[in-house]
Amino acid sequence: MSADSLLAILEPTAQIVALVVIVTGLANNAVYTVEILVAWLELRGRPPVERSGALWSEFGDIAMPITLIVPAYNEEATIVESVRSFLSLNYPVFDIVVVNDGSKDGTLQALIDEFLLTPVVRDFEPEVVHRPIRQLLGTENHPNLLVVDKANGGKADALNAGINLTRLPLFCAVDADSILDPDALIRAVVPFIEDPERTVAVGGTIRIANGCTVRGGRIVDVGLARQPLALLQTVEYLRAFLMARVAQSRMRILTLISGAFGIFQRDVAVAVGGFSQNTVGEDFEIVVKIHRHMLERGRPYVIEYVPDPVCWTEAPESLIVLGRQRIRWQRGALETFAKHKDMLFNPRYGRVGILGFGLILLTDVLSPFFECLGLLLIPAFWAIGALDASYALAFMAVSFSYGVFLSIGAIVLEELELKRFPKVVDLVVLTVAAIVENFGYRQINNVWRLVGCWRYLRGAEGWGSMPRRGFRPSASAVRRDP
Amino acid sequence: MGLLESLWWGSLLLSGLSILIAGGLVAMRAVNVVIEGRRARRRDELTTYIVVALDADSPTPDFESRLNGRDRDLLAEVAMELFEMVKGGHLERFTALLKRTGVIDAARRRLRQGKSFQRVRAARLLGAYGDEAAADDLFLRLRDRDVNVRLAAATALADRGEVRSMWELVHSLSYAAIRSTPRLRHVFRGFAVQHADEIIALATDPIGRHLRPFLIDAIGHSGRFDALPFLIDTAMSDPDKQMRAEALAALGRLGHPDAVDAVIGGLVDSEWPVRVQAAKCAAAVGIGEAVPLVERLVEDPVWWVRHQAAESLSSFGEVGHAALERLALHNTPGALVAQRTLFEKR
């Protein structure tokens, strides 16, 4: 076959590939445009964020009791400070159940030493499945603290043990390496107070703690991460939470409440069998299960996202660790999508099936594949002369500038709603990060997502290690005052 | 203009717009930093003035006469934060200060004309510091078009403990499409002592049917033993399990031994939430005759009933302890609950 005839075949192929990539990109951008508009409308209509004191006098007497379930696996570096931080939350009545999920390090011993834990007995019913519990530990110094020591079974398994051990109507799943704002619980519980019968789950905002100053287990000075990778994740989180979640919550199609901070009605979580153990996206999957459960029974319900309660988490600062995290997220999303694929475009599941699952199909299943395809093939086709570069470049320019526009939009929403970054210079740095993330970071994220797809197809299991610096005095990522 | 050119122009436009928005945001923030700084300083000045004024023999007319609308907003904000802390004579002085400085009048205006969230905030302030005239304004807001304002007005009136007419209040809340939020429980508890007669009457009247659980709950907080026949009758014969359970909970709170028949009936009720409340009520009132039935509930098919029954038994002193020890010897699900309860109480 001559070069000319090969080119004659490749040219239409290249045009089709370019067209598919462009159409997918346009569809993605259309979704983001709708999301940012809906989020803006939603946030604009909200009353100003209440000060903590006003919240307490308004809800202090009527807030429902909550159990914080803290799964911990090899969290020796952070667990004591985290539990101290949780114990000092401003909330009228709450329990803390720390579940040591068979840690191989000194997580349990650190807790025993710090809180003077001794074995206790607690009556409970095994309503959801989990690996055997070895012992329960408590302390007279903190009657609301219970430590569950169990065989290793993964995060979902640990959460399930916590669900069984709680006797309160609501539980809050929170990561052991996270820090909650002191009034995060009272802010997050408001939908349950306003509409206790229909509200089944509420998610709050996750923000990057890198660059912040932590004192006594609390964020006392909010700052931006200095490390570039963490900084780029800050913009990414703003976009994910203040744009996507706000909009999806408003449209009643919220399918993800972050595993780092979400409140659930215990009865409903039990009714859906608790967290599923055969997925790495247990936080995503339980929300989808709840949607399915409620819709199949025709029960009115609300799953809501509230932007003001904030949970701070430490972002990975190395490409390898971040890559592992993103690959795992992608696998989790695909596992959930595959498990509940019958909900896709199924009118029985209303807007969740049509819009919610349609979004998952577009953003989690199709987008990474086509974006990577475009990244690889379009330059290749151009190099061999099968594609006119001018159009491809023009579309790429639109795509990049639109990406910047969306990220700036998320920063605008943050500024209108939360104003958590205290310095003017922070906004400038965030703006620069919003531009820079489109050149390299976004693309590598797509590659990780594609790897996640590959791993999912190969049936990979496990979480991979996620080393943390911890909120310690020696940590450079998160500053802690002495 | 062709497609290609449009794409490039579009791209340029988006980039320019993004940079413009970001620049505007930064400029806005810079201005806000200055404004917020001034506001925070003024807030501190006002807080200091309040703290000094609460202990001073006489106010400082000069300072107060210079206050403007923004100051009044700040004072209202500080007032809500200090409310839990200011008591007795200080509360009276603070209320007088807020009235003198026009904060109360401003809140009354807001309650009538403000945006929805401003009306809610004004209602809270007037509930805490308002006078008779403010109570009248709050009462009128029970008919506000916004359900949140109605609820805020009802809560504010409940915080004061008085309302012109409970019937009007129940009527407003019944038809306001308010869901059964814990706020309603709080509202009716607020009126339980001073409006017990009306609450008892409303609990049996069709007008109160949407709010019956909260009315029954409020009766439990009224301390009125003359409501016992109504509660006993509700606990024993109401067709609605929620009402039976609420009535038993209210009987437990009143703590009168006449509740014995209702408790005995509740312990063998077909609905488990009623059995739970009956077991709790038996323990709260200390009804010894109920112990054998509570003991039987430790073998109930529902775990929560088993657990609550065991908890109740542990409140019965030696008799309950002996019952738990007997149960603990069996080889049943109830035995496990009894064993764990015995360990927990050690």
Side-chain angles (χ1 to χ4, degrees):
Chain A
M1 191 184 286
S2 69
D4 281 349
S5 55
L6 187 64
L7 207 59
I9 298 168
L10 278 177
E11 236 174 59
T13 314
Q15 278 164 7
I16 290 167
V17 169
L19 193 69
V20 169
V21 170
I22 287 163
V23 167
T24 316
L26 285 176
N28 250 334
N29 284 343
V31 166
Y32 296 144
T33 307
V34 171
E35 282 184 348
I36 201 164
L37 284 174
V38 174
W40 180 68
L41 283 174
E42 169 67 13
L43 293 176
R44 206 182 59 140
R46 286 166 54 90
V49 175
E50 294 277 13
R51 293 171 75 98
S52 300
L55 273 174
W56 189 263
S57 51
E58 176 75 358
F59 300 113
D61 291 336
I62 53 175
M64 295 95 157
I66 291 182
T67 299
L68 244 70
I69 303 180
V70 187
Y73 177 70
N74 292 348
E75 303 280 1
E76 186 182 2
T78 57
I79 193 68
V80 167
E81 186 124 23
S82 294
V83 173
R84 284 216 167 282
S85 151
F86 296 142
L87 282 167
S88 65
L89 289 173
N90 291 338
Y91 196 78
V93 184
F94 69 102
D95 285 349
I96 300 172
V97 176
V98 180
V99 187
N100 175 46
D101 189 35
S103 296
K104 290 176 186 147
D105 65 356
T107 302
L108 183 64
Q109 199 54 49
L111 286 167
I112 291 172
D113 294 345
E114 182 65 25
F115 297 104
L116 307 175
L117 300 173
T118 52
V120 293
V121 174
R122 174 81 72 102
D123 185 26
F124 68 96
E125 188 175 39
E127 290 177 282
V128 288
V129 182
H130 57 79
R131 301 288 307 278
I133 289 173
R134 294 194 279 242
Q135 58 175 335
L136 301 176
L137 299 141
T139 170
E140 285 178 6
N141 300 332
H142 300 285
N144 62 336
L145 172 64
L146 179 76
V147 173
V148 181
D149 179 30
K150 64 178 274 294
N152 179 256
K155 187 178 174 186
D157 196 73
L159 285 166
N160 284 348
I163 291 174
N164 279 339
L165 261 305
T166 173
R167 295 169 180 173
L168 301 180
L170 302 176
F171 73 86
C172 174
V174 57
D175 278 354
D177 54 9
S178 301
I179 292 178
L180 289 180
D181 267 355
D183 52 11
L185 281 184
I186 204 157
R187 288 185 193 280
V189 85
V190 170
F192 288 102
I193 295 173
E194 304 292 3
D195 193 355
E197 284 164 18
R198 294 193 312 157
T199 307
V200 291
V202 167
T205 300
I206 311 295
R207 306 192 72 148
I208 304 289
N210 306 45
C212 299
T213 307
V214 179
R215 191 187 299 145
R218 290 188 175 189
I219 302 279
V220 291
D221 183 23
V222 177
L224 277 178
R226 290 172 185 168
Q227 206 273 345
L229 207 53
L231 183 62
L232 295 176
Q233 288 173 76
T234 305
V235 179
E236 199 182 10
Y237 274 54
L238 285 182
R239 215 173 37 232
F241 284 91
L242 288 180
M243 203 176 88
R245 304 263 167 103
V246 169
Q248 289 170 18
S249 174
R250 169 75 183 247
M251 293 190 281
R252 298 276 173 252
I253 55 166
L254 186 66
T255 48
L256 175 59
I257 285 177
S258 168
F261 179 40
I263 302 183
F264 297 84
Q265 246 190 45
R266 184 186 179 276
D267 286 352
V268 174
V270 167
V272 300
F275 289 86
S276 298
Q277 296 167 1
N278 52 357
T279 173
V280 288
E282 78 296 324
D283 47 357
F284 185 13
E285 212 267 339
I286 194 168
V287 179
V288 174
K289 272 202 295 193
I290 291 173
H291 276 298
R292 177 188 274 274
H293 176 84
M294 303 304 275
L295 289 165
E296 284 177 354
R297 281 152 189 79
R299 284 176 56 188
Y301 71 101
V302 176
I303 295 177
E304 199 167 325
Y305 164 73
V306 191
D308 6 317
V310 171
C311 170
W312 300 88
T313 191
E314 190 190 340
E317 292 190 349
S318 87
L319 274 174
I320 294 171
V321 180
L322 180 64
R324 264 187 224 139
Q325 183 193 56
R326 298 308 159 96
I327 290 167
R328 196 184 70 236
W329 286 0
Q330 182 64 20
R331 269 174 52 210
L334 291 180
E335 281 165 359
T336 302
F337 183 77
K339 193 170 171 186
H340 298 277
K341 58 182 178 300
D342 58 313
M343 289 175 76
L344 178 66
F345 300 136
N346 187 339
R348 186 183 180 197
Y349 299 102
R351 59 175 82 183
V352 175
I354 294 163
L355 278 177
F357 262 69
L359 272 180
I360 300 169
L361 175 72
L362 180 68
T363 55
D364 289 323
V365 182
L366 300 178
S367 257
F369 177 72
F370 287 119
E371 281 197 36
C372 284
L373 195 73
L375 277 175
L376 286 174
L377 291 186
I378 290 178
F381 285 140
W382 169 74
I384 59 170
L387 195 69
D388 181 358
S390 53
Y391 278 94
L393 282 173
F395 273 112
M396 272 173 76
V398 172
S399 169
F400 283 131
S401 49
Y402 201 75
V404 173
F405 178 75
L406 288 172
S407 299
I408 299 284
I411 297 169
V412 171
L413 293 179
E414 143 68 27
E415 185 65 4
L416 293 179
E417 174 65 14
L418 294 173
K419 287 197 186 75
R420 285 300 183 110
F421 297 106
K423 298 179 201 132
V424 180
V425 71
D426 291 342
L427 287 180
V428 179
V429 175
L430 277 176
T431 305
V432 173
I435 296 167
V436 171
E437 68 150 355
N438 287 283
F439 302 93
Y441 182 73
R442 224 175 82 178
Q443 291 71 26
I444 197 166
N445 251 303
N446 276 321
V447 172
W448 285 327
R449 293 171 77 187
L450 208 59
V451 176
C453 294
W454 175 245
R455 298 255 173 96
Y456 162 72
L457 291 171
R458 289 186 57 199
E461 288 180 355
W463 279 53
S465 76
M466 285 286 295
R468 304 279 186 183
R469 286 164 182 268
F471 303 121
R472 292 164 300 166
S474 57
S476 64
V478 181
R479 294 194 305 280
R480 199 190 95 149
D481 280 1
Chain B
M1 189 164 38
L3 176 64
L4 190 65
E5 210 175 333
S6 311
L7 287 173
W8 282 112
W9 275 110
S11 174
L12 201 64
L13 191 74
L14 274 173
S15 306
L17 195 62
S18 301
I19 289 166
L20 207 66
I21 291 172
L25 207 61
V26 170
M28 202 172 79
R29 168 60 87 85
V31 172
N32 272 342
V33 165
V34 176
I35 293 171
E36 287 297 320
R38 273 192 209 144
R39 194 172 183 276
R41 280 194 297 278
R42 186 61 178 156
R43 199 173 191 280
D44 288 346
E45 279 171 22
L46 290 170
T47 309
T48 308
Y49 175 73
I50 290 167
V51 171
V52 172
L54 292 186
D55 280 326
D57 292 329
S58 57
T60 315
D62 280 357
F63 184 87
E64 291 182 8
S65 65
R66 286 199 302 271
L67 298 179
N68 59 26
R70 276 195 294 275
D71 290 335
R72 279 190 279 277
D73 286 347
L74 281 173
L75 269 176
E77 210 176 280
V78 175
M80 282 320 294
E81 283 176 20
L82 292 181
F83 180 60
E84 301 284 338
M85 293 173 247
V86 186
K87 308 280 178 204
H90 281 157
L91 182 60
E92 283 172 25
R93 283 186 182 189
F94 197 14
T95 306
L97 184 151
L98 294 174
K99 199 164 168 51
R100 263 194 332 266
T101 51
V103 174
I104 298 293
D105 285 341
R108 289 180 62 195
R109 276 196 300 278
R110 282 262 162 86
L111 187 67
R112 287 192 299 271
Q113 297 159 358
K115 291 178 187 168
S116 180
F117 80 89
Q118 288 172 327
R119 298 204 297 281
V120 167
R121 286 184 179 177
R124 285 182 202 156
L125 184 80
L126 294 174
Y129 298 101
D131 51 11
E132 284 304 312
D136 288 342
D137 288 347
L138 287 169
F139 191 75
L140 291 174
R141 282 302 113 198
L142 291 175
R143 299 226 163 191
D144 196 282
R145 62 185 177 278
D146 185 327
V147 82
N148 291 317
V149 180
R150 286 185 188 205
L151 207 43
T155 309
L157 287 166
D159 289 341
R160 299 168 57 85
E162 284 185 45
V163 64
R164 203 191 298 160
S165 159
M166 278 302 293
W167 295 83
E168 175 68 25
L169 178 117
V170 166
H171 184 268
S172 307
L173 296 181
S174 293
Y175 292 93
I178 291 173
R179 296 182 194 98
S180 53
T181 139
R183 281 174 194 254
L184 285 175
R185 210 168 275 275
H186 177 75
V187 165
F188 286 103
R189 283 180 186 176
F191 298 118
V193 174
Q194 276 162 317
H195 291 271
D197 287 332
E198 287 166 274
I199 288 175
I200 293 166
L202 277 161
T204 54
D205 194 283
I207 196 177
R209 66 184 182 281
H210 297 303
L211 302 167
R212 269 190 93 210
F214 309 112
L215 292 164
I216 294 171
D217 173 76
I219 293 170
H221 285 81
S222 67
R224 292 276 294 269
F225 292 140
D226 56 333
L228 281 169
F230 163 72
L231 291 178
I232 291 167
D233 184 50
T234 306
M236 295 180 77
S237 55
D238 199 288
D240 186 335
K241 67 178 176 189
Q242 190 192 356
M243 300 308 155
R244 297 202 297 280
E246 289 284 358
L248 281 162
L251 284 168
R253 224 164 275 125
L254 286 176
H256 197 283
D258 278 3
V260 60
D261 289 342
V263 169
I264 300 287
L267 290 169
V268 294
D269 198 285
S270 58
E271 298 288 347
W272 70 262
V274 182
R275 295 200 294 279
V276 165
Q277 286 306 332
K280 284 182 171 181
C281 182
V285 184
I287 300 172
E289 300 97 305
V291 170
L293 283 173
V294 178
E295 192 177 335
R296 210 185 289 169
L297 281 191
V298 180
E299 295 293 355
D300 196 276
V302 179
W303 175 78
W304 188 240
V305 181
R306 294 201 294 274
H307 174 75
Q308 286 300 332
E311 287 280 316
S312 296
L313 279 180
S314 68
S315 311
F316 276 102
E318 280 183 23
V319 184
H321 194 81
L324 282 171
E325 285 191 334
R326 268 197 308 279
L327 285 160
L329 296 174
H330 300 165
N331 186 21
T332 58
L336 192 61
V337 173
Q339 287 160 12
R340 284 176 174 166
T341 307
L342 283 168
F343 271 116
E344 268 190 60
K345 303 294 171 190
R346 251 178 215 172

